[in-house]
Amino acid sequence: MTGKLKAPKGTHDLFPSDSEKFAAVEATARRVFGAHGYGEIRTPTFESTELFARSVGETTDIVHKEMYTFPDRKGRSLTLRPENTAGVVRALVEKGIQDIPKPIRLWYAGSQFRYEQPQAGRYREFRQIGVELLGVASAAGDAEVLAMLFAFLGALGLTDVAATINCIPRGDARAAFSKALQEHVRPHADRLGADDRKRLDENPLRLFDSKDPETRRFLEGAPATLEFLDAASRAHHEELKNLLGKLGVRFTESAGIVRGIDYYTLTVFEVTSDRLGAQNAILGGGRYDDLVAELGGPPTPAVGFAIGEDRLVDAMTADVREPRTLFAVIPDGPEDFPYALGVAQEIRALLPEVIVESDLLGRGVGKGLSRAGQLAREPGRHAHRIARVQAVLLGSQEREKESVTLKDLTTGAQDTFPRRQLAERLAGRER
Ligand code: AMP
């Protein structure tokens, strides 16, 4: 039996018209983060299951019900990474983080996997671009990361977004906050679903992750994180707000953000976009001062964020691809292919920035020209961002006389000249 093969539920293919946008976003990340001293790290797509249980947290939705976990052939439990911070920290601890000069500045881009109910903007395989700054305890670290984030979003044309920030109490203050939250929700315990009852008992902060409308109602008027901050945490938060103001980072404060991952301490933040539907969170991040020690390294403060790249691309209206000139090399028939391939090669060598495409279907100059003309009128049909189209017509006349006919499809101007003049005729046609 042969059924129709389909991509697994919740995954999607990126064809060039999309993948070139993703590549341009990643190139912008490399440029902006690189300018701040951040280098790219690439960690494995799968890790030991234990890593995520110990970092993201057993009682989070991610670990509890969204992981792709499987035994390998030797029976080791492995998991497709649901996020990348745990892998980065594991890699640093394994390499010997104590010997790496601080601050450590890293960024990554790659696929993450979560078994969620797919919908617009929510996938089972999705891409994140993230940043990690390790070794800086002061609010200056949070501020650097947030300011860099907004420099990146600005470079992508997303200038109308703001961060929502919060500060989660740590240590004894966190325990007191959890207890107060428990007391607030406890009277409604018998009306909670099984998952939320477990959260109430084991990790009340996680109640904020609940999608159950009843639970959300019970959380109204719940104790606010900011009221539980100890003096040092409060000072950290105040300093961060002060720095963000000075750096021109737009933000609002909200006590309702706790983020769906256990390792966060103090600062947490999110950015949402009105241009997205129900799944409107473009990114999330925060400080995770206890995670390195949790995973076996020396206590090392850290802060970072993860952007949902698929949602980011959806929210963008600007085209960040480099505009390029397309040379459509059009041989009249198969007998002109050798000449055409040679001319195409020569143009690429002369103008490395342009795109040179040979029409190798041998369907005649007329058809080739009309296809090139269509691209000139509707450059959006091409995977790349086409600034203008030049047709290079090569029929038997050109081949026999060793000449080239160049037609600018934007202006309509056409000219035939000897091939040996290509360099001087093409000079200045880069854009
Ligand atoms: P998190 O790692 O949960 O803090 O998520 C960070 C960002 O990743 C979110 O703000 C989303 O933009 C993106 N994200 C998380 N889960 C998904 C998903 N299932 N599909 C697409 N994007 C996602």
Side-chain angles (χ1 to χ4, degrees):
M1 228 188 72
T2 50
K4 211 171 171 186
L5 291 173
K6 288 173 126 182
K9 188 173 171 183
T11 67
H12 57 158
D13 301 305
L14 292 183
F15 284 91
S17 52
D18 288 319
S19 63
E20 290 299 332
K21 290 184 193 142
F22 279 68
V25 165
E26 288 154 25
T28 306
R30 184 178 301 282
R31 177 168 62 75
V32 175
F33 302 158
H36 289 72
Y38 288 69
E40 189 193 7
I41 182 166
R42 301 186 189 198
T43 64
T45 313
F46 56 86
E47 298 269 0
S48 72
T49 302
E50 188 198 348
L51 171 65
F52 303 112
R54 276 171 58 182
S55 54
V56 175
E58 296 270 15
T59 51
T60 58
D61 276 1
I62 294 177
V63 172
H64 183 50
K65 53 188 180 193
E66 293 172 0
M67 293 206 306
Y68 280 91
T69 297
F70 55 96
D72 74 0
R73 285 169 190 275
K74 289 263 168 68
R76 304 173 191 97
S77 182
L78 299 174
T79 292
L80 298 183
R81 61 183 182 201
E83 60 95 62
N84 219 148
T85 299
V88 169
V89 172
R90 194 269 311 135
L92 286 168
V93 171
E94 190 172 335
K95 197 176 165 67
I97 188 171
Q98 61 282 357
D99 301 326
I100 305 175
K102 314 290 179 310
I104 301 172
R105 293 188 163 96
L106 297 169
W107 71 276
Y108 61 79
S111 282
Q112 316 296 331
F113 307 85
R114 295 182 197 174
Y115 195 88
E116 291 193 89
Q117 210 41 50
Q119 61 178 89
R122 195 204 277 155
Y123 312 102
R124 291 184 172 173
E125 178 177 9
F126 58 99
R127 294 156 193 83
Q128 283 186 337
I129 297 178
V131 155
E132 316 291 358
L133 168 66
L134 297 103
V136 181
S138 75
D142 315 38
E144 169 175 298
V145 159
L146 272 157
M148 181 170 80
L149 166 64
F150 278 83
F152 172 62
L153 295 176
L156 299 177
L158 284 166
T159 47
D160 58 345
V161 286
T164 311
I165 66 169
N166 190 20
C167 190
I168 299 179
R170 57 184 311 190
D172 291 346
R174 188 180 182 119
F177 173 68
S178 286
K179 191 151 172 287
L181 198 58
Q182 236 163 5
E183 278 162 16
H184 181 83
V185 181
R186 181 79 69 198
H188 313 286
D190 51 353
R191 293 179 58 191
L192 297 179
D195 279 358
D196 286 344
R197 199 143 352 127
K198 194 169 142 81
R199 286 172 167 142
L200 176 64
D201 292 333
E202 297 175 8
N203 192 353
L205 240 80
R206 296 275 66 90
L207 285 167
F208 285 102
D209 303 341
S210 177
K211 285 163 191 110
D212 183 338
E214 269 229 296
T215 305
R216 303 213 62 86
R217 210 155 45 76
F218 299 145
L219 285 171
E220 280 167 23
T225 46
L226 291 172
E227 289 160 17
F228 284 78
L229 296 182
D230 56 40
S233 304
R234 190 176 301 279
H236 183 96
H237 191 55
E238 289 306 317
E239 196 193 342
L240 173 59
K241 289 194 288 181
N242 184 19
L243 286 169
L244 292 181
K246 288 207 170 99
L247 293 169
V249 174
R250 293 202 306 165
F251 70 95
T252 54
E253 215 175 354
S254 162
I257 297 184
V258 299
R259 318 265 315 111
I261 297 175
D262 271 357
Y263 52 62
Y264 288 118
T265 49
L266 301 182
T267 308
V268 286
F269 54 89
E270 277 180 6
V271 173
T272 56
S273 167
D274 297 339
R275 277 193 288 276
L276 298 175
Q279 302 302 314
N280 65 353
I282 307 185
L283 66 97
R287 186 163 270 288
Y288 51 97
D289 288 344
D290 300 331
L291 184 59
V292 177
E294 204 83 52
L295 296 180
T300 309
V303 54
F305 59 77
I307 307 171
E309 191 179 359
D310 309 80
R311 293 187 196 170
L312 179 68
V313 169
D314 274 351
M316 279 166 47
T317 51
D319 192 342
V320 288
R321 295 169 302 172
E322 279 297 317
R324 294 161 80 182
T325 297
L326 171 70
F327 280 82
V329 173
I330 307 168
D332 197 29
E335 58 288 354
D336 306 311
F337 287 175
Y339 186 58
L341 287 169
V343 171
Q345 196 174 47
E346 196 175 333
I347 299 174
R348 281 186 204 104
L350 288 167
L351 303 177
E353 298 297 317
V354 307
I355 300 165
V356 184
E357 264 178 22
S358 304
D359 182 331
L360 296 178
L361 294 183
R363 54 193 164 181
V365 157
K367 282 225 167 84
L369 246 183
S370 85
R371 186 186 166 270
Q374 198 174 34
L375 275 176
R377 287 189 305 277
E378 298 172 61
R381 284 173 171 269
H382 203 280
H384 293 275
R385 183 172 167 196
I386 304 300
R388 65 201 278 224
V389 183
Q390 311 255 1
V392 183
L393 309 177
L394 304 173
S396 54
Q397 286 217 10
E398 282 82 2
R399 172 164 46 91
E400 279 154 20
K401 293 197 180 135
E402 285 260 329
S403 66
V404 169
T405 297
L406 194 63
K407 184 177 169 91
D408 186 323
L409 293 186
T410 314
T411 62
Q414 181 172 324
D415 193 13
T416 301
F417 52 83
R419 178 179 175 177
R420 66 187 138 72
Q421 288 179 8
L422 252 182
E424 62 204 74
R425 298 291 185 133
L426 292 185
R429 301 218 187 203
E430 201 92 18
R431 299 237 168 245

